[in-house]
Amino acid sequence: MTQRTKRMLATAMMVLSLGLVAGCGAQEQIGYVDMQTLMTQSQKGHDAEAKIKAKYEEISQRLAQAQQSQSAEEFAQTQMKAKQEFDIYQQAMGKEFRTFVDSNLNALAKEKGMTAVMEKGAVMSGGTDLTNELLEKMGKVKTDDGQKADGNAQKQADGNGQSGNADNAQK
């Protein structure tokens, strides 16, 4: 092969390589979800919150009984154990909810051709909001008459000042 043929072949390979590399930079599809909305408006989130509140009430009742029959030192230990029990339970419910969200989110992301999905606060601008579609896939909170609750009614119900926080277990 002549020197000129080698150069032309090398140039053709570079142009072809650049074309392939340029084609690999396909448009990234980034989605995001609002986890707070999923927690407050999904049936699974609503159920998890109800279980956490029930556990809090159970522990509060046990502590009230223990306070009457224990010394201050014993009660302090009982309180600490109760807080640990509540924290573990709350973490388990959170993990169960997150696993449910992740499995539904992975299916939705694949269906929509998303390259990545983040939580709403992590996205500065752009992206596709998948929250409502994921909420439909997960199942919205149902009211007593079996109808799906609208977002505003649920937000008002959730904003009644009660929280399933571990901090409340100390009160």
Side-chain angles (χ1 to χ4, degrees):
M1 281 184 144
T2 65
Q3 190 71 359
R4 185 171 181 206
T5 309
K6 287 181 182 178
R7 276 191 223 152
M8 287 178 64
L9 188 57
T11 303
M13 292 300 284
M14 283 179 40
V15 169
L16 183 60
S17 295
L18 286 174
L20 289 174
V21 171
C24 290
Q27 183 71 20
E28 296 285 324
Q29 293 293 324
I30 304 208
Y32 63 90
V33 293
D34 183 347
M35 290 299 290
Q36 184 65 33
T37 298
L38 294 176
M39 184 67 174
T40 58
Q41 294 183 22
S42 71
Q43 187 63 47
K44 186 76 168 180
H46 189 263
D47 292 346
E49 188 68 25
K51 287 178 182 179
I52 289 169
K53 285 179 182 178
K55 186 69 166 180
Y56 174 77
E57 291 300 321
E58 172 199 327
I59 290 173
S60 294
Q61 289 175 357
R62 283 193 323 214
L63 284 174
Q65 291 173 352
Q67 188 173 19
Q68 294 173 359
S69 62
Q70 293 180 345
S71 69
E73 187 176 302
E74 289 173 324
F75 183 67
Q77 287 181 336
T78 302
Q79 248 183 332
M80 189 182 316
K81 288 178 183 177
K83 182 180 179 342
Q84 288 173 344
E85 177 186 346
F86 182 75
D87 289 346
I88 290 168
Y89 186 80
Q90 190 173 28
Q91 288 171 358
M93 289 288 103
K95 186 176 181 179
E96 182 181 311
F97 177 73
R98 185 63 193 226
T99 300
F100 182 74
V101 169
D102 287 347
S103 66
N104 282 283
L105 184 56
N106 288 336
L108 181 61
K110 186 175 182 179
E111 177 184 308
K112 293 288 186 181
M114 293 289 151
T115 312
V117 180
M118 297 179 246
E119 288 191 35
K120 184 178 180 180
V123 177
M124 297 290 280
S125 68
T128 303
D129 188 356
L130 301 174
T131 306
N132 288 330
E133 291 175 78
L134 184 57
L135 191 56
E136 287 295 325
K137 192 173 200 65
M138 290 172 53
K140 288 187 177 182
V141 173
K142 294 184 182 174
T143 59
D144 292 337
D145 62 0
Q147 299 290 324
K148 289 183 178 179
D150 75 5
N152 292 333
Q154 185 59 35
K155 283 180 187 174
Q156 289 174 351
D158 290 336
N160 64 5
Q162 295 181 355
S163 167
N165 261 341
D167 295 337
N168 291 338
Q170 292 177 332
K171 293 181 181 177

